[in-house]
Amino acid sequence: MGETIGSAWWFIVALGVLVTIHEFGHFFVARRCGVKVLRFSVGFGRPLWLRRGKDGTEYVVAMLPLGGYVRMLDERDDQYTPALQAQTLAAKPVGQRIAIAAAGPLANLVLCVFLLWAMFVVGRPDYAAAVGSAQGIAAQAGLRTGDVIQKIDGSDTPTWTEAQYALTISAIDRKPVQIDVRTREGGTARRTLDLSKMPQGFDETNAVRLMGLVPRHMLVPPVIGDITKGAPAYGILAQDDRVTAVDGQPVESFDDIAPKVRALAARGGPGMIEVQREGERLALEITPGKLKQPDGREIVGLGIVSAKATQPAFDAMLRYGPLAAVPQAFKATGELTGQITGLIKRMVTGQMSLKYVTGPVTTARAANATAQLGLGWFLNFLALLSLSLAILNLLPIPLLDGGHLLYYLIELVKGSPLSERAMAAGQYVGLVLLVGLMGLALFNDVLLNRLLHW
C-alpha cells in the first residue's frame, strides 16, 4: 500500500508540473497574440480550486490530474459576442495560430533543458560503467573483468545508465559498435562488439546480459548462503564463507564458482577451495560430486547456494558545476531527443516491440522509484517525461498539438482553412488513434504489473 500511495503521489506531482508548464506555454503565447483565454485548467472534471482573474480568465485546479487545457474564446462559446470576434483564436493569422499550438511542446522542451541543468548541478548518483564479467559476444570482443567503458560509438558513457542504453539500442539495431575502455591495467583500448550475432527475437530488456556482459555492480558476491545436506561441501564450508579461489583460480563473483568447480572435477581428484571466514583465510580440500536437480538432471558441483544479494551502494556521480552544466544540459536534451524519436521510429517499423508503450501505471511506478533514489534521479525522470510529452504532442495526429500544426500548415499551402467536414473527419481519425494508443498502453501496464507481482 505504501508503494501504491507513493506512486500515486509522485505521479500527480510529475504530471502537475509538466502539464502546468505545457499549458502555460499555450496560455502565454495566446495572450501575447491577443486571444481571449476563458480558462486555464490543470486537470479535468469538477474544480477543486478556482480563481477568476481581473481579465476574466478562470484559473482552475480540477479533480482528475490526468492532463489540462487552455480554453480560448470561440464563436460557439456562450461568452462570444461580435464585438469580441477579433479576440477569437480563429480570427488570428495562421502564423500566430501556429505559434500558439507549438508553444506547449516548446515550453516542455525548455523545461527539459532546465531540469537537466538542475540534475547536473545537484548530481545524479549512479554506477560506474565497469565490466564485472564478460562471456559470449562480449568476451569475443575482448572485454574483460575490470574494464571501464568510457565511450560507445564516440558517445561518452560516464555512468552505467548511458552505457546500458547505448548497448541495448545497438543490440536492437543488430550492428557492431566501437567501445573505448580503460583497461584494468590502467591503459586504454578499443573493442568491437559485433551485435549482429545477437539471437533472433531476443528480449530487449535483457539485451546486455544476452551479449554476455554483466556490470560490476550486478555481480553476485561469492558468499555462501546455504549448503545442501550431504553435498560435497557439507560440513566443510560454512554459511557466510566468502569463496576467494577454486583450485588456485581467483573468484570474483558467485557465478565464477560453478565453471571453476566443473573444471576441477574434469581434472579429477580433490582441490583446494579458499575462503574468508570471520577474518581468517582458509584453504579447504573438497572433491566435487554429482548433485541431482529437482528436474531429475545431474550436475557436478559443491552443493552451495549464494547468500541473498543486497543492492550495492552507488559508486559514481554524474555532476557538473552550474556553468559547465549549461552546455551539458543542451547536449543531453539533443541526445535524448534523438533517442526518443529513434525509439518511436523503431516501434513504427516493427524493429522494436510495442510492449514498451506504457501508460500511467508504469509512469507512476517510475516516478515513485526515481523519487526514492533522490532528487537527481527524479529531476532526470521529469526531464525525460517533459521531453517525451513535447515530442508526442508534435506527432501529426488530430487532437494533439501536432494535428493542429498539420491543419495550419495545410492552410498555409492551400491559402484557406480546411473545411469543417475535413477537420471533423481528421478529429475522428485522431480519436481512434489515441484511443488505440491508450488501450495498448493500459494493456501493457496491466500485463507488466501482473508479471511484476507473479
Side-chain angles (χ1 to χ4, degrees):
M1 180 60 72
E3 182 184 355
T4 300
I5 294 175
S7 297
W9 166 250
W10 289 113
F11 177 71
I12 291 172
V13 171
L15 203 62
V17 170
L18 301 186
V19 168
T20 299
I21 296 299
H22 180 92
E23 297 304 333
F24 179 77
H26 291 309
F27 170 80
F28 180 82
V29 176
R31 292 282 295 270
R32 292 302 177 274
C33 291
V35 176
K36 183 174 179 58
V37 177
L38 303 178
R39 174 173 283 192
F40 180 111
S41 178
V42 177
F44 298 105
R46 185 171 65 85
L48 298 176
W49 176 88
L50 185 151
R51 186 178 71 84
R52 189 182 301 274
K54 294 180 180 179
D55 55 1
T57 302
E58 292 180 344
Y59 299 90
V60 175
V61 176
M63 180 176 290
L64 298 176
L66 299 177
Y69 61 93
V70 173
R71 181 179 161 202
M72 303 176 201
L73 184 65
D74 184 87
E75 292 180 356
R76 294 163 292 188
D77 199 278
D78 293 340
Q79 299 184 37
Y80 171 79
T81 64
L84 296 175
Q85 171 62 28
Q87 297 184 50
T88 63
L89 177 64
K92 299 302 175 183
V94 65
Q96 291 188 0
R97 282 181 275 142
I98 288 175
I100 293 169
L106 181 60
N108 281 124
L109 180 62
V110 172
L111 178 63
C112 174
V113 174
F114 171 77
L115 290 170
L116 287 173
W117 173 84
M119 182 271 288
F120 284 132
V121 172
V122 170
R124 191 193 75 199
D126 208 325
Y127 295 106
V131 177
S133 68
Q135 299 175 1
I137 300 172
Q140 293 169 19
L143 291 172
R144 300 179 300 163
T145 299
D147 287 348
V148 178
I149 301 173
Q150 297 182 309
K151 291 179 183 289
I152 296 179
D153 276 348
S155 296
D156 292 335
T157 54
T159 71
W160 176 248
T161 297
E162 289 78 24
Q164 182 181 36
Y165 179 84
L167 290 170
T168 300
I169 292 301
S170 296
I172 292 171
D173 293 340
R174 310 184 72 83
K175 66 173 188 178
V177 292
Q178 299 296 320
I179 300 180
D180 294 328
V181 301
R182 186 179 72 248
T183 65
R184 60 191 180 191
E185 292 84 14
T188 59
R190 174 167 289 181
R191 314 294 189 199
T192 300
L193 189 63
D194 188 1
L195 296 179
S196 64
K197 298 178 180 179
M198 290 291 288
Q200 293 293 330
F202 68 89
D203 178 10
E204 293 101 327
T205 61
N206 202 31
V208 175
R209 263 195 186 275
L210 290 174
M211 63 183 72
L213 188 61
V214 180
R216 183 175 62 196
H217 65 273
M218 294 280 292
L219 291 178
V220 178
V223 178
I224 298 174
D226 198 9
I227 303 171
T228 303
K229 189 173 183 179
Y234 188 75
I236 301 175
L237 299 181
Q239 189 177 23
D240 296 331
D241 279 355
R242 185 181 188 92
V243 181
T244 57
V246 174
D247 200 27
Q249 299 297 312
V251 168
E252 300 290 339
S253 73
F254 199 87
D255 292 338
D256 289 343
I257 298 175
K260 287 178 169 55
V261 168
R262 288 195 294 269
L264 170 60
R267 179 176 64 77
M272 304 305 293
I273 309 297
E274 298 175 39
V275 301
Q276 283 185 341
R277 179 185 299 172
E278 297 179 351
E280 292 186 69
R281 294 183 65 88
L282 305 175
L284 306 169
E285 187 177 82
I286 302 179
T287 301
K290 291 185 177 180
L291 303 169
K292 194 166 186 179
Q293 301 299 291
D295 60 3
R297 293 182 302 114
E298 284 191 343
I299 64 169
V300 174
L302 300 178
I304 59 176
V305 296
S306 65
K308 186 176 180 180
T310 58
Q311 184 74 19
F314 290 122
D315 58 3
M317 176 68 76
L318 185 61
R319 176 184 284 159
Y320 297 95
L323 292 179
V326 175
Q328 289 296 331
F330 280 100
K331 178 184 176 184
T333 301
E335 291 175 347
L336 284 174
T337 300
Q339 291 170 4
I340 294 172
T341 54
L343 289 176
I344 294 173
K345 178 183 176 182
R346 290 179 180 90
M347 289 183 188
V348 171
T349 59
Q351 195 175 357
M352 190 172 176
S353 173
L354 289 175
K355 67 184 180 182
Y356 299 106
V357 178
T358 54
V361 176
T362 301
T363 303
R365 290 170 64 92
N368 184 53
T370 53
Q372 302 309 312
L373 289 174
L375 180 58
W377 276 99
F378 190 62
L379 290 171
N380 188 85
F381 168 76
L382 284 179
L384 179 60
L385 203 58
S386 185
L387 184 59
S388 300
L389 184 61
I391 293 172
L392 292 175
N393 263 284
L394 287 174
L395 293 177
I397 299 175
L399 298 181
L400 296 179
D401 294 328
H404 294 300
L405 289 170
L406 178 62
Y407 287 157
Y408 298 151
L409 290 174
I410 293 174
E411 181 179 341
L412 273 177
V413 172
K414 67 189 292 282
S416 60
L418 285 172
S419 66
E420 289 194 7
R421 184 176 180 180
M423 292 181 68
Q427 301 288 1
Y428 282 122
V429 171
L431 184 61
V432 170
L433 288 173
L434 285 179
V435 169
L437 189 63
M438 290 170 62
L440 175 64
L442 288 171
F443 173 78
N444 287 342
D445 270 350
V446 172
L447 180 62
L448 177 63
N449 277 278
R450 285 180 63 189
L451 291 172
L452 288 173
H453 287 90
W454 277 349

Short mmCIF file of all heavy atoms in Angstrom, two decimals, residues 144-148 181-189 191:
data_model
loop_
_atom_site.label_atom_id
_atom_site.label_comp_id
_atom_site.label_asym_id
_atom_site.label_seq_id
_atom_site.Cartn_x
_atom_site.Cartn_y
_atom_site.Cartn_z
N ARG A 144 36.98 -7.47 -20.72
CA ARG A 144 37.43 -8.27 -19.59
C ARG A 144 36.97 -7.67 -18.27
O ARG A 144 36.68 -6.47 -18.19
CB ARG A 144 38.95 -8.38 -19.59
CG ARG A 144 39.57 -9.00 -20.81
CD ARG A 144 41.09 -9.01 -20.69
NE ARG A 144 41.63 -7.67 -20.54
CZ ARG A 144 42.85 -7.40 -20.10
NH1 ARG A 144 43.63 -8.38 -19.70
NH2 ARG A 144 43.27 -6.16 -20.01
N THR A 145 36.92 -8.51 -17.27
CA THR A 145 36.60 -8.04 -15.92
C THR A 145 37.54 -6.91 -15.52
O THR A 145 38.75 -7.02 -15.67
CB THR A 145 36.73 -9.19 -14.92
OG1 THR A 145 35.81 -10.23 -15.26
CG2 THR A 145 36.44 -8.71 -13.50
N GLY A 146 36.96 -5.82 -15.03
CA GLY A 146 37.76 -4.68 -14.60
C GLY A 146 37.86 -3.57 -15.63
O GLY A 146 38.26 -2.45 -15.28
N ASP A 147 37.51 -3.85 -16.91
CA ASP A 147 37.48 -2.79 -17.91
C ASP A 147 36.38 -1.79 -17.56
O ASP A 147 35.32 -2.17 -17.05
CB ASP A 147 37.19 -3.36 -19.30
CG ASP A 147 38.38 -4.11 -19.89
OD1 ASP A 147 39.48 -4.00 -19.32
OD2 ASP A 147 38.20 -4.81 -20.91
N VAL A 148 36.62 -0.51 -17.84
CA VAL A 148 35.61 0.54 -17.63
C VAL A 148 35.27 1.14 -18.99
O VAL A 148 36.15 1.64 -19.70
CB VAL A 148 36.12 1.63 -16.67
CG1 VAL A 148 35.08 2.74 -16.53
CG2 VAL A 148 36.45 1.04 -15.31
N VAL A 181 37.54 1.62 -23.89
CA VAL A 181 37.60 1.23 -22.49
C VAL A 181 38.91 1.67 -21.85
O VAL A 181 39.93 1.85 -22.53
CB VAL A 181 37.45 -0.31 -22.31
CG1 VAL A 181 36.13 -0.79 -22.88
CG2 VAL A 181 38.62 -1.05 -22.92
N ARG A 182 38.84 1.86 -20.54
CA ARG A 182 40.05 1.97 -19.73
C ARG A 182 40.27 0.59 -19.14
O ARG A 182 39.43 0.07 -18.41
CB ARG A 182 39.89 3.01 -18.62
CG ARG A 182 41.19 3.24 -17.84
CD ARG A 182 41.05 4.29 -16.76
NE ARG A 182 40.25 3.83 -15.64
CZ ARG A 182 39.06 4.30 -15.31
NH1 ARG A 182 38.50 5.24 -16.03
NH2 ARG A 182 38.41 3.82 -14.27
N THR A 183 41.38 -0.03 -19.50
CA THR A 183 41.61 -1.41 -19.10
C THR A 183 41.91 -1.51 -17.61
O THR A 183 42.23 -0.52 -16.95
CB THR A 183 42.78 -2.02 -19.89
OG1 THR A 183 43.98 -1.32 -19.54
CG2 THR A 183 42.53 -1.89 -21.39
N ARG A 184 41.83 -2.70 -17.11
CA ARG A 184 42.08 -2.91 -15.67
C ARG A 184 43.54 -2.64 -15.31
O ARG A 184 43.86 -2.44 -14.15
CB ARG A 184 41.69 -4.33 -15.28
CG ARG A 184 42.42 -5.43 -16.02
CD ARG A 184 41.77 -6.77 -15.75
NE ARG A 184 42.45 -7.86 -16.43
CZ ARG A 184 41.96 -9.09 -16.52
NH1 ARG A 184 40.78 -9.36 -15.97
NH2 ARG A 184 42.63 -10.04 -17.14
N GLU A 185 44.42 -2.63 -16.33
CA GLU A 185 45.81 -2.30 -16.09
C GLU A 185 46.06 -0.80 -16.09
O GLU A 185 47.17 -0.35 -15.78
CB GLU A 185 46.71 -2.96 -17.14
CG GLU A 185 46.78 -4.48 -17.06
CD GLU A 185 45.61 -5.15 -17.78
OE1 GLU A 185 44.91 -4.46 -18.56
OE2 GLU A 185 45.40 -6.36 -17.58
N GLY A 186 45.03 -0.02 -16.47
CA GLY A 186 45.16 1.43 -16.47
C GLY A 186 45.38 2.04 -17.83
O GLY A 186 45.40 3.27 -17.97
N GLY A 187 45.51 1.23 -18.87
CA GLY A 187 45.69 1.75 -20.22
C GLY A 187 44.33 1.98 -20.91
O GLY A 187 43.28 1.93 -20.29
N THR A 188 44.36 2.26 -22.20
CA THR A 188 43.14 2.44 -22.98
C THR A 188 43.15 1.48 -24.16
O THR A 188 44.22 1.08 -24.65
CB THR A 188 43.01 3.89 -23.50
OG1 THR A 188 44.14 4.21 -24.31
CG2 THR A 188 42.91 4.87 -22.34
N ALA A 189 41.96 1.11 -24.63
CA ALA A 189 41.85 0.19 -25.75
C ALA A 189 40.51 0.39 -26.42
O ALA A 189 39.57 0.94 -25.82
CB ALA A 189 42.01 -1.26 -25.28
N ARG A 191 37.49 -1.77 -28.45
CA ARG A 191 36.97 -3.10 -28.74
C ARG A 191 35.80 -2.97 -29.72
O ARG A 191 35.06 -1.99 -29.68
CB ARG A 191 36.46 -3.79 -27.47
CG ARG A 191 37.38 -3.71 -26.27
CD ARG A 191 38.66 -4.46 -26.47
NE ARG A 191 39.45 -4.55 -25.24
CZ ARG A 191 40.73 -4.83 -25.21
NH1 ARG A 191 41.38 -5.06 -26.34
NH2 ARG A 191 41.38 -4.90 -24.07
#
